[in-house]
Amino acid sequence: MNRRQLLKTGPSGLVGLLSAPYLLGAPKPAPDPCTCTSIEEMIRLCCNENPYGPSPLAREAIQQSIRKGNRYPRRLHRSLKEQLAEYHSLSPDHFLIGSGSAQILQLIALWLGMEQKHILSADNTFAWMMKYAAQFGSQWTKVPLDENQYFDLPTLRQAASNHEGLVYLCNPNNPTGTYLGPERVEPFCRSIAARQPLLVDEAYIEYLEGGESESAIAWIKELPQLMVCRTFSKLYGMAGLRVGYLVAHPERIKELEALEAGFGMNVSATSLAAASASLKDEEFRQSSRIQTQSVRQFVQAQLEEWNVPMADASANFVFCNVDHIKGDLKAALKDENFQLWPFEHNGQKVLRLTIGSKEEMEQFCQKMQPHFTNS
C-alpha cells in the first residue's frame, strides 16, 4: 500500500479552509439518531454515513408525506422512477427501486442463484452480494487488488474470459476508496458486458469531482448486460431512510422485479418522497460534496504527517494501514468516544475511516494522535 503524497496545500492551509463558514450555505451536521450503541454521544466513523443529511428539501417532503401514510405508495414509486428516468435520460422501465442498495444486491444474488451463475470480483471489495449469493450456491472467484489497492482490470478481464457468471466492479471501491476513471472503466465494461452480466456499484460516485458525469449509466443503452447500482444513503444523507435503485436493460429489470416481494412497494412513502425531493436539491449535494472533500483532505494531511500508509481516497472515507498500532485499537477508540471497525486483511490491521463533520474529525485527530504516533 503506497503512502499518499503530501497534499500541496499542506495541513495549515486546509485547517484555514475548514475554519471558514460552511461552503454554499450547507446545514450543520444532523444529530445522530442511531441506537446501535448505548453511548449517545459516540462519534460514528465506521459506516460511511453523511453527517449533513438529509437535505432540507427532503426533510420537508418527509413531513408532508406523513399525512398520506395510510395509503400504499404506488404513485410515489412510479413518480420516482419517472424522475430518475428524466435525471439519467432513460425511460422509466430501466429502473428498479429498492430499500437501499442492499435490497438491490440481494435480488441480484437471488437471481444469480436461480440462474446457477457465480461471481467474479476483487478482494478486497464490498462483499455483501457475494456473501448473500453463497446461500444460494453461487461461488465468489477472487482477484486480488493491485499493489495500490485498485481493481486490477487487466487481470479481472483475463479471468472473466473463463467465467460465465456475473462480474462485479465497485467504483469507487469500498473499503479502499480507490476510483478508476471512465477512460479505463469504459473499455472494461464494453469488453465484459458484451458477453456476460456486469454490475457496477456506484454507491459513492457522487463524491467525485466530476460527480455523476463519470457514471457507467451512460453506456446502459448500448450494453444490455450492464447493470449499475446507486443509492441515496451516502451523499444524499439518507442511510436510515433506505432508498436505492438499479439501472439496467428493461428485460433485466423485469427479471429482477419478478423476484421481488411486495409488488414494488418495499420502500415507504416518506422515503420515496425524500428521495424525490433530494434529486431536486443540487445546492445541498454540492455543498455536502465540497465539505466532505475538504475535511477528507485535512484528515489525509494529518495521517500523512503521522506516517500512516493510506490508499488514494475519492469518497467519504480513508482506507489506511494501522498495523503498527499495538493492542486492541477498537477498544482504545471506543474509550476515546469513537466508533470505528478496524479489521484484518492479508495479515495486516487496516481501518476504513469515515469522514465525519469538521468538528468530529478535529476531535479524532486530537485524541487519536497518541495512538498513531506512540505505537
Side-chain angles (χ1 to χ4, degrees):
M1 185 184 297
N2 290 350
R3 283 180 47 201
R4 185 179 178 87
Q5 295 182 348
L6 184 63
L7 298 169
K8 295 181 180 179
T9 52
S12 59
L14 289 166
V15 172
L17 174 62
L18 295 171
S19 299
Y22 280 169
L23 300 171
L24 301 177
K28 292 183 179 181
D32 178 15
C34 182
T35 57
C36 295
T37 174
S38 60
I39 304 176
E40 294 182 359
E41 299 302 322
M42 182 75 76
I43 296 175
R44 287 165 51 86
L45 303 178
C46 56
C47 296
N48 295 349
E49 297 157 332
N50 182 349
Y52 308 114
S55 85
L57 292 185
R59 299 179 199 191
E60 182 179 352
I62 289 171
Q63 292 178 334
Q64 295 297 322
S65 68
I66 291 174
R67 296 180 300 171
K68 299 180 181 180
N70 60 315
R71 303 298 182 187
Y72 289 112
R74 290 186 178 90
R75 183 186 60 80
L76 287 172
H77 186 272
R78 182 173 62 253
S79 177
L80 182 58
K81 269 194 174 186
E82 294 171 350
Q83 190 177 357
L84 287 168
E86 182 178 359
Y87 189 78
H88 292 292
S89 300
L90 292 168
S91 59
D93 55 358
H94 282 87
F95 295 86
L96 188 157
I97 298 172
S99 178
S101 59
Q103 187 194 7
I104 303 295
L105 296 175
Q106 184 183 43
L107 282 173
I108 294 174
L110 177 59
W111 171 74
L112 289 171
M114 295 183 66
E115 295 291 323
Q116 297 185 324
K117 294 181 181 295
H118 301 304
I119 303 171
L120 172 67
S121 188
D123 181 29
N124 184 15
T125 191
F126 189 63
W128 198 325
M129 179 182 65
M130 287 76 100
K131 292 179 179 179
Y132 193 79
Q135 300 181 46
F136 301 100
S138 293
Q139 299 175 359
W140 175 13
T141 300
K142 302 178 182 180
V143 174
L145 298 173
D146 69 19
E147 61 180 5
N148 295 321
Q149 306 301 310
Y150 283 82
F151 265 76
D152 187 342
L153 295 186
T155 303
L156 200 60
R157 183 185 293 112
Q158 183 178 3
S161 63
N162 298 316
H163 179 85
E164 296 182 355
L166 177 138
V167 178
Y168 174 77
L169 174 65
C170 188
N171 196 41
N173 187 35
N174 178 14
T176 65
T178 49
Y179 170 71
L180 296 166
E183 70 282 353
R184 296 180 62 185
V185 173
E186 182 175 4
F188 177 80
C189 287
R190 292 188 180 280
S191 66
I192 299 298
R195 62 178 184 273
Q196 64 196 98
L198 169 64
L199 173 62
V200 182
D201 189 336
E202 295 183 341
Y204 299 93
I205 196 167
E206 291 95 348
Y207 282 106
L208 302 174
E209 287 287 351
E212 298 172 75
S213 64
E214 302 184 18
S215 172
I217 292 175
W219 316 314
I220 287 286
K221 287 183 178 179
E222 304 170 61
L223 301 172
Q225 294 274 51
L226 176 62
M227 297 178 279
V228 180
C229 186
R230 300 285 283 274
T231 182
F232 284 87
S233 294
K234 305 307 176 183
L235 184 75
Y236 290 91
M238 290 175 47
L241 290 165
R242 314 308 301 133
V243 183
Y245 61 97
L246 182 74
V247 190
H249 192 270
E251 290 303 314
R252 182 58 45 78
I253 295 293
K254 289 179 181 178
E255 286 183 88
L256 294 171
E257 284 184 332
L259 302 177
E260 182 185 15
F263 305 101
M265 293 184 294
N266 289 313
V267 184
S268 70
T270 53
S271 297
L272 290 168
S276 179
S278 293
L279 282 173
K280 304 171 185 177
D281 201 341
E282 173 60 27
E283 181 179 357
F284 173 82
R285 295 200 303 275
Q286 186 176 358
S287 61
S288 183
R289 180 187 304 115
I290 291 174
Q291 282 195 94
T292 300
Q293 291 172 345
S294 299
V295 180
R296 188 189 70 213
Q297 289 172 349
F298 162 70
V299 172
Q300 289 172 298
Q302 186 63 79
L303 292 173
E304 182 73 29
E305 185 177 320
W306 295 337
N307 295 316
V308 176
M310 72 190 91
D312 294 330
S314 56
N316 64 333
F317 55 91
V318 177
F319 184 75
C320 53
N321 188 315
V322 292
D323 199 52
H324 66 289
I325 297 179
K326 308 301 180 184
D328 189 340
L329 179 59
K330 182 176 180 179
L333 294 168
K334 186 174 181 179
D335 289 342
E336 295 286 2
N337 210 36
F338 294 100
Q339 189 177 33
L340 294 97
W341 292 334
F343 61 98
E344 284 195 7
H345 183 69
N346 290 336
Q348 292 191 317
K349 191 187 304 180
V350 293
L351 175 67
R352 188 196 66 180
L353 174 63
T354 298
I355 302 301
S357 67
K358 178 189 70 172
E359 292 81 5
E360 288 173 340
M361 301 319 293
E362 286 177 339
Q363 289 182 50
F364 173 84
C365 290
Q366 180 182 15
K367 293 185 178 181
M368 290 300 101
Q369 183 172 0
H371 298 283
F372 283 100
T373 59
N374 297 333
S375 297

